Amino acid sequence: MERIRTFAVRHARAFEWVYVRFERALVAMDPLFRRIGYDRLERPVAAVEKLTKGLLFDCRMCGQCVLSSTGMSCPMNCPKTLRNGPCGGVRPGGFCEVKPQMRCVWVMAWEGAARMRGGGQISDVQPPVNRALEGSSSWLRVAREKAAMPGGPTDAPRDTIARAFPRARAHEPAAAPLAPEPLRASDRGVGR
Ligand code: SF4
């Protein structure tokens, strides 16, 4: 829904303001989340996240949200699902090569980033998306990752990706997660 995405990009600065505070609250709640159990929280939180972010950003629930680094334009709406863009095929007027009637998700991302205080993050190279995390909650992942950042890596392949994208991970820790995943986060039924 391009209208939703256009609204998000036009109000990228306001969404950024809200998200910075929301993220702080999520990270602060990590001890509570641990006490309840991330596994138990995964399904209900993913359902709320899907509804909220679907309405506000046309979110596709990739589980590795990078909206703060993409001008509040969800990159998973790019027909090529590029996590770094735009590609070389943007049409005159900023329209998509694959869907000529649609404005390029990445052209919109750069417009949104220009409105944001942290808009420079769009220059961070993002890692490829891990499809195994599709449908799971980015919110919970951010809480786990930010709270666990000083801790050591737990898994060699994930550690390799995290090390390869340090800037992306610094701003968007869910983009290259290291914290152990709760069972339900990789449950393919979540959010579908
Ligand atoms: S980047 Fe992923 S989690 Fe964030 S809005 Fe897009 S699909 Fe949803």
Side-chain angles (χ1 to χ4, degrees):
M1 292 262 278
E2 196 175 333
R3 280 216 323 242
I4 292 175
R5 300 201 294 274
T6 302
F7 180 86
V9 166
R10 284 208 184 121
H11 298 85
R13 180 73 174 267
F15 280 119
E16 178 186 35
W17 189 92
V18 171
Y19 183 71
V20 166
R21 282 146 189 86
F22 181 62
E23 185 182 277
R24 268 188 220 139
L26 282 175
V27 176
M29 285 195 287
D30 173 69
L32 174 65
F33 293 159
R34 283 181 198 282
R35 208 167 305 146
I36 298 170
Y38 274 102
D39 189 36
R40 287 163 74 186
L41 286 166
E42 181 60 39
R43 277 181 186 272
V45 174
V48 174
E49 181 173 340
K50 183 180 182 185
L51 181 68
T52 311
K53 283 165 64 177
L55 287 172
L56 293 174
F57 305 106
D58 202 12
C59 168
R60 303 290 153 167
M61 288 297 284
C62 70
Q64 295 176 266
C65 197
V66 289
L67 276 177
S68 299
S69 298
T70 59
M72 299 294 161
S73 173
C74 171
M76 303 314 284
N77 286 297
C78 165
K80 301 176 187 177
T81 58
L82 292 181
R83 297 289 274 193
N84 298 280
C87 69
V90 180
R91 294 171 186 265
F95 289 90
C96 174
E97 175 182 43
V98 180
K99 296 183 178 176
Q101 75 286 2
M102 182 181 96
R103 288 206 74 221
C104 167
V105 165
W106 276 99
V107 167
M108 292 169 71
W110 282 84
E111 290 170 358
R115 297 185 174 105
M116 294 167 64
R117 274 180 191 274
Q121 288 173 207
I122 198 168
S123 299
D124 296 346
V125 179
Q126 296 296 331
V129 70
N130 177 357
R131 298 282 181 179
L133 302 180
E134 211 170 310
S136 63
S137 170
S138 263
W139 289 348
L140 291 178
R141 189 158 291 110
V142 166
R144 280 196 301 275
E145 294 300 325
K146 284 243 168 176
M149 264 188 163
T154 54
D155 178 282
R158 298 168 102 209
D159 182 38
T160 302
I161 293 179
R163 281 182 198 278
F165 298 92
R167 286 179 61 85
R169 183 169 161 78
H171 294 132
E172 304 281 15
L178 281 172
E181 296 290 339
L183 288 176
R184 291 184 188 181
S186 54
D187 181 338
R188 306 291 295 177
V190 171
R192 295 190 171 179

